[in-house]
Amino acid sequence: MTAPQKGSFEVLMKIKDVIAVLNAEVLSGENRLEEEVKWVGAADMMSDVLSLGRPGMVILTGNNSLQALRSSVVTEILALVLIRNKPVGPEVIEFAKKNNFILLRTAHYLFATCGKLYQQGFRGIDEKPD
Amino acid sequence: MKSRIDLGKYASLFQDLKASEIMTKRVISLGPEKKMAQAKEMMKIKRISGIPIVDDKHHLLGLISIQDIIVALEFNRIKEPVKSMMATELITIKTDDSLMEIVGKFERFKYGRFPVVDEKNKLCGIISREDIMHGVLERFNLIHTHDAKRRLKLEGDHSLVTGQDLDPEAASFHFVIDTSDVNSAGTGSALLKQFVGGKGIPAETARRVGISCYEAETNVVIHSKGRGEIYCFLFEDSIIVRVVDNGIGIEDIEKAMKEGFSTAPDYIRELGFGAGMGLVNMKRFADKLVVFSEKNVGTQVEMMFFLEREKPEKPKPEIPQEPIDILF
């Protein structure tokens, strides 16, 4: 990928950039990799996803339950990234595919996952204006 | 340990009290093909010590107790269907058995609870020692004064927000929540969101409806220990969503409204729920919220969404600014 300028809010970053930075595996939503990422967040509590998640946001999580997917789809976030290569049940992938939802998985742990994305210029909703 | 109250001594005072009056009507049951592991999870989540097994017509087939679960765990039979391990020779109570007969069974068989069936062996309820005590106390009018007005409110077909008539039959959307499976929580809300989206409702409103309803629906599954339903009414300028259940009710609504307050068990927290944000989130995403709850009768959550209020994406403040309307 072309490295975006650090800390810049203007650089257009896409799902495929997230995949490159995290060396992530695409479990669902292969046809949506060109979509723009506006924010990144991390949450394991689904109520946090429901209250803070929004369209254009990528959420990093260790929560591999079907509920995590449902919350994500209802909230209309852009993508969910599972950390630490967490196992994913077939029903979870099936649900993601049915909703054409972007589900990614990386081997990195949460801290490193956050750090790598931050380093590339991705920001959360507390730092980046709408 | 204190000795148990001699129930027989008082039974004659309440001869006309029938099983159907004192039984718990909300019984959590399972089909015969469900796995022992599911029965175990259900007992853990719902904190119950026995589950009646019924066929699809609700006829009583057997009973799974904690002892059966222990045996299943010990002998690695937890993946077997419940029908292979359930007790099938059951002592049951009939709906019109008198208190005397019921107490007799408790004294004789020493079980903690008995399933209640009708003449066709259909499961109607369950009776524990506690139910008997409640039934008797109720007779004495000690714990429950019948509040006609309150009952009317909870069973009435009018809006808690606007007072207008809301006939459940006339709802544009209706969904029965499956409270037996935590993993299915949210199904109704996803369908509702799809439904309102298909009605030409602006995307941001559909999103707010979906999120609020999702929180309410998971509450019913996790906490109510009853059955629940989702109704949606579409109007020209607003949407009303009602999520109702006949479960245990909310003990303290003001507490429940506080951010971070939760009574969810660990199992639920592992799924990412129980952050104590449910009602807070509903309040945030709905334009009007009324919660009405009565202990052991049920909870009604009614949310209203105004259609003209389509604003650019700007979340409301984290902490609700005004208290919600609470009706007791």
Side-chain angles (χ1 to χ4, degrees):
Chain A
M1 64 172 283
T2 50
Q5 201 187 326
K6 276 182 192 174
S8 163
F9 297 146
E10 304 309 317
V11 183
L12 190 72
M13 301 216 260
K14 297 181 173 178
I15 287 292
K16 63 176 186 187
D17 300 326
V18 173
I19 295 170
V21 172
L22 300 178
N23 194 15
E25 163 191 10
V26 182
L27 301 175
S28 164
E30 293 85 353
N31 57 334
R32 300 182 57 192
L33 308 187
E34 293 294 331
E35 291 188 28
E36 185 193 348
V37 178
K38 289 187 189 149
W39 302 276
V40 178
D44 282 351
M45 296 307 289
M46 289 306 111
S47 284
D48 289 339
V49 174
L50 290 166
S51 71
L52 299 173
R54 59 193 64 180
M57 186 167 181
V58 171
I59 291 185
L60 318 175
T61 188
N63 188 332
N64 57 355
S65 69
L66 186 55
Q67 297 305 333
L69 252 284
R70 263 209 205 91
S71 309
S72 304
V73 170
V74 167
T75 321
E76 293 178 12
I77 62 165
L78 181 60
L80 197 66
V81 182
L82 286 170
I83 52 146
R84 275 170 50 203
N85 263 344
K86 292 241 181 181
V88 193
E91 74 283 358
V92 173
I93 296 184
E94 191 190 328
F95 184 82
K97 285 191 187 295
K98 215 172 95 192
N99 288 283
N100 194 22
F101 181 79
I102 308 171
L103 180 61
L104 309 177
R105 180 163 65 176
T106 177
H108 292 296
Y109 288 19
L110 185 56
F111 181 70
T113 310
C114 293
K116 281 173 189 293
L117 292 174
Y118 196 91
Q119 198 175 32
Q120 292 299 326
F122 289 97
R123 290 294 180 268
I125 48 169
D126 54 338
E127 286 193 327
K128 187 179 162 182
D130 283 7
Chain B
M1 211 176 108
K2 278 186 190 166
S3 63
R4 281 177 169 161
I5 301 168
D6 181 6
L7 292 165
K9 201 167 130 192
Y10 301 102
S12 61
L13 291 171
F14 302 93
Q15 267 170 350
D16 58 330
L17 205 53
K18 300 276 185 241
S20 54
E21 291 174 65
I22 59 174
M23 67 188 183
T24 297
K25 295 192 183 86
R26 302 181 308 267
V27 191
I28 294 158
S29 58
L30 276 178
E33 303 299 334
K34 299 277 182 187
K35 303 281 185 287
M36 289 299 285
Q38 280 168 287
K40 174 183 77 90
E41 282 309 312
M42 197 104 123
M43 287 180 176
K44 192 165 141 192
I45 299 164
K46 307 282 186 186
R47 293 185 192 170
I48 49 176
S49 55
I51 300 183
I53 308 303
V54 294
D55 66 13
D56 50 4
K57 301 231 161 56
H58 233 66
H59 294 109
L60 183 65
L61 304 173
L63 195 78
I64 291 286
S65 66
I66 286 194
Q67 279 84 349
D68 298 322
I69 300 289
I70 293 171
V71 171
L73 286 170
E74 195 174 337
F75 296 98
N76 201 18
R77 298 179 64 187
I78 199 76
K79 287 186 177 148
E80 289 186 21
V82 290
K83 67 176 179 190
S84 70
M85 296 199 70
M86 66 190 183
T88 51
E89 285 181 23
L90 303 178
I91 311 293
T92 58
I93 289 174
K94 297 275 186 299
T95 42
D96 54 0
D97 277 1
S98 69
L99 183 64
M100 193 74 129
E101 291 167 291
I102 299 167
V103 169
K105 281 187 179 163
F106 270 93
E107 294 300 309
R108 213 153 10 119
F109 297 104
K110 306 287 178 201
Y111 292 127
R113 66 205 63 229
F114 293 90
V116 182
V117 294
D118 67 9
E119 66 285 350
K120 287 178 180 140
N121 198 37
K122 269 193 185 171
L123 181 67
C124 305
I126 202 154
I127 291 185
S128 65
R129 278 177 186 271
E130 203 185 333
D131 292 320
I132 297 181
M133 208 164 71
H134 277 272
V136 170
L137 287 174
E138 202 153 358
R139 273 282 146 118
F140 274 131
N141 232 349
L142 282 179
I143 53 166
H144 239 269
T145 44
H146 184 69
D147 185 340
K149 196 176 149 208
R150 176 184 278 193
R151 193 122 318 185
L152 188 76
K153 263 228 176 293
L154 209 52
E155 286 166 8
D157 295 338
H158 53 261
S159 167
L160 299 172
V161 176
T162 64
Q164 71 196 102
D165 285 339
L166 290 179
D167 180 5
E169 301 280 318
S172 335
F173 174 94
H174 175 230
F175 180 85
V176 178
I177 302 169
D178 178 7
T179 49
S180 73
D181 182 7
V182 179
N183 285 316
S184 73
T187 314
S189 308
L191 289 173
L192 174 61
K193 192 180 159 217
Q194 223 168 42
F195 170 79
V196 293
K199 293 283 171 188
I201 305 297
E204 180 53 23
T205 307
R207 193 173 96 88
R208 290 195 288 131
V209 169
I211 294 174
S212 319
C213 187
Y214 189 96
E215 291 280 14
E217 187 182 359
T218 47
N219 275 354
V220 171
V221 176
I222 295 169
H223 298 292
S224 79
K225 300 188 171 76
R227 64 189 292 276
E229 285 164 271
I230 300 171
Y231 296 94
C232 175
F233 303 85
L234 296 179
F235 300 99
E236 226 167 84
D237 53 354
S238 64
I239 298 175
I240 290 182
V241 177
R242 299 186 98 177
V243 182
V244 302
D245 70 65
N246 65 352
I248 57 166
I250 304 173
E251 189 113 12
D252 185 338
I253 297 186
E254 280 179 74
K255 243 188 186 171
M257 270 306 296
K258 288 215 176 80
E259 258 190 83
F261 177 82
S262 175
T263 55
D266 289 348
Y267 170 82
I268 296 298
R269 290 175 198 255
E270 278 163 29
L271 283 176
F273 289 104
M277 292 292 290
L279 280 167
V280 182
N281 272 350
M282 285 179 230
K283 171 70 185 159
R284 232 180 113 207
F285 287 105
D287 293 309
K288 294 266 177 205
L289 167 71
V290 175
V291 181
F292 183 77
S293 189
E294 185 181 350
K295 210 177 164 196
N296 293 325
V297 175
T299 301
Q300 290 200 359
V301 170
E302 186 171 314
M303 296 173 285
M304 195 170 182
F305 304 84
F306 298 128
L307 288 179
E308 76 270 346
R309 206 205 62 161
E310 273 314 308
K311 44 176 183 97
E313 261 187 43
K314 188 105 192 168
K316 285 193 210 170
E318 281 274 321
I319 297 151
Q321 297 298 299
E322 47 183 309
I324 56 157
D325 305 309
I326 298 170
L327 304 171
F328 288 102

